[in-house]
Amino acid sequence: KIMYSDKVMDHFLNPRNTGDLPEADAMGEIGNPACGDMMRLFLKIEKDVITQARFKTFGCAAAIATSSILTEMAVGKTLDEALLISKEDVAAALDGLPPKKMDCSNLAADALHQAIQNYRLNKS
């Protein structure tokens, strides 16, 4: 049986910032075919600062919780600051993830980095 922290369960049962962001400036989409987790992250960016973040995630409790907390971590950060958010940071913000959930479910940082790269490519 996998044991999750109270924080993981809170973000899984009451996820923050879910759904589409129609006016999104950037989108990142990451999937892990091995376990079936899929995450789509939408960002609203003003003057190089993330002002809004929303997600749609199909996956386990850890995948949803990491997506939820990542949106809280990213908002208010500059793009350069947001690029420094690692999988380890996301897991730490949730008071840890079970080791076997670390890779397959913690797609959030990858989706964030991809969204920022897509935004910068489209802007140039």
Side-chain angles (χ1 to χ4, degrees):
K1 186 173 181 299
I2 295 172
M3 294 299 295
Y4 291 114
S5 71
D6 290 343
K7 224 167 184 182
V8 169
M9 292 311 296
D10 179 41
H11 277 271
F12 168 59
L13 296 170
N14 309 291
R16 282 57 143 189
N17 306 306
T18 59
D20 282 318
L21 189 56
E23 303 294 309
D25 296 304
M27 200 256 294
E29 188 171 38
I30 297 285
N32 185 324
C35 61
D37 290 346
M38 286 291 300
M39 177 186 185
R40 191 174 287 159
L41 178 72
F42 307 94
L43 300 177
K44 188 91 186 114
I45 300 164
E46 290 172 33
K47 296 183 181 145
D48 238 31
V49 173
I50 298 170
T51 57
Q52 274 186 290
R54 294 247 172 98
F55 75 92
K56 288 176 122 176
T57 293
F58 177 83
C60 65
I64 291 164
T66 56
S67 304
S68 173
I69 202 151
L70 177 96
T71 62
E72 293 187 334
M73 294 168 75
V75 170
K77 288 196 169 34
T78 66
L79 298 181
D80 286 339
E81 288 168 343
L83 282 171
L84 298 175
I85 297 173
S86 68
K87 289 182 177 207
E88 291 72 25
D89 295 331
V90 174
L94 288 168
D95 298 332
L97 285 173
K100 69 179 179 185
K101 286 289 172 186
M102 198 53 203
D103 287 334
C104 91
S105 60
N106 198 349
L107 306 171
D110 293 342
L112 175 65
H113 299 164
Q114 188 194 73
I116 292 169
Q117 286 170 337
N118 291 344
Y119 173 75
R120 287 182 164 165
L121 282 173
N122 291 336
K123 252 188 91 176
S124 55

